[in-house]
């Protein structure tokens, strides 16, 4: 359970103290999240090799599909037009893009690197 909270709080998988992301990004301002190369607390390197986060795109895809299905299930009670539903789904995909980017990378880091905690 604590790893789940650490993923949501974007903490380092090794020490659980340092932040993985320096900035959270903002899709409305066209700013992507910026990731620290190393943990500010324990100097743990997050990106092990080039292309390390390629697999997190599959995690991001799964998150996005789950969110859009949930949004569709809730919204189909209120929105009857096809264009309105597609606008809602597209808007949500844009608004949640930086959240999904950060969360998918955190899940990926913890999947491959999350059991190394020494504390
Ligand atoms: Zn750390």
């Amino acid at each position: 359970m604590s790893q789940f909270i650490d993923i949501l709080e974007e903490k380092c998988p090794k020490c659980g103290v340092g932040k993985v992301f320096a900035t959270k990004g903002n899709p409305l301002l066209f700013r992507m999240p910026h990731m620290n190369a190393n943990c500010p607390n324990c100097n743990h390197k997050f990106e092990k090799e080039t292309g390390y986060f390629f697999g997190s795109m599959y995690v991001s895809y799964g998150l996005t599909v789950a969110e859009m299905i949930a949004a569709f299930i809730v919204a189909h009670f209120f929105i009857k037009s096809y264009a309105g539903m597609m606008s809602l789904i597209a808007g949500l995909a844009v608004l949640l893009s930086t959240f999904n980017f950060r969360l998918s990378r955190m899940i990926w880091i913890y999947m491959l690197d999350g059991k190394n905690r020494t504390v």
Side-chain angles (χ1 to χ4, degrees), residues 22-53:
T23 63
K24 290 185 180 277
N26 186 337
L28 300 176
L29 300 175
F30 302 105
R31 291 196 179 133
M32 290 299 290
H34 180 68
M35 207 173 161
N36 292 321
N38 294 355
C39 174
N41 185 53
C42 69
N43 205 30
H44 178 68
K45 187 176 181 184
F46 296 127
E47 187 171 6
K48 303 292 181 205
E49 60 191 359
T50 304
Y52 182 73
F53 292 109

Side-chain angles (χ1 to χ4, degrees), residues 1 4 8-9 13 18 42 44 46 51 55-57 59-60 68 74 83 86 98 108 118:
M1 188 65 187
F4 179 72
L8 292 177
E9 292 180 343
C42 69
H44 178 68
F46 296 127
S56 71
M57 289 192 299
V59 178
S60 178
M68 297 311 120
V74 171
M86 288 299 112
T98 55
W108 191 252
T118 55

Side-chain angles (χ1 to χ4, degrees), residues 10-11 14 35 37 48 50 102 105:
E10 300 169 353
K11 301 284 186 175
K14 186 163 187 177
M35 207 173 161
K48 303 292 181 205
T50 304
R102 289 182 282 119
R105 285 195 173 202

Side-chain angles (χ1 to χ4, degrees), residues 4-111:
F4 179 72
I5 293 170
D6 286 347
I7 288 172
L8 292 177
E9 292 180 343
E10 300 169 353
K11 301 284 186 175
C12 168
K14 186 163 187 177
C15 69
V17 176
K19 298 288 279 182
V20 173
F21 286 93
T23 63
K24 290 185 180 277
N26 186 337
L28 300 176
L29 300 175
F30 302 105
R31 291 196 179 133
M32 290 299 290
H34 180 68
M35 207 173 161
N36 292 321
N38 294 355
C39 174
N41 185 53
C42 69
N43 205 30
H44 178 68
K45 187 176 181 184
F46 296 127
E47 187 171 6
K48 303 292 181 205
E49 60 191 359
T50 304
Y52 182 73
F53 292 109
F54 182 78
S56 71
M57 289 192 299
Y58 297 106
V59 178
S60 178
Y61 175 74
L63 286 171
T64 304
V65 168
E67 290 163 356
M68 297 311 120
I69 288 173
F72 175 81
I73 289 171
V74 171
H76 92 280
F77 292 110
F78 309 106
I79 299 173
K80 298 300 177 198
S81 75
Y82 178 78
M85 185 65 76
M86 288 299 112
S87 299
L88 175 78
I89 299 288
L92 270 178
V94 171
L95 288 176
L96 293 173
S97 61
T98 55
F99 172 76
N100 286 337
F101 178 88
R102 289 182 282 119
L103 185 59
S104 64
R105 285 195 173 202
M106 289 305 301
I107 290 171
W108 191 252
I109 287 173
Y110 273 75
M111 277 173 48

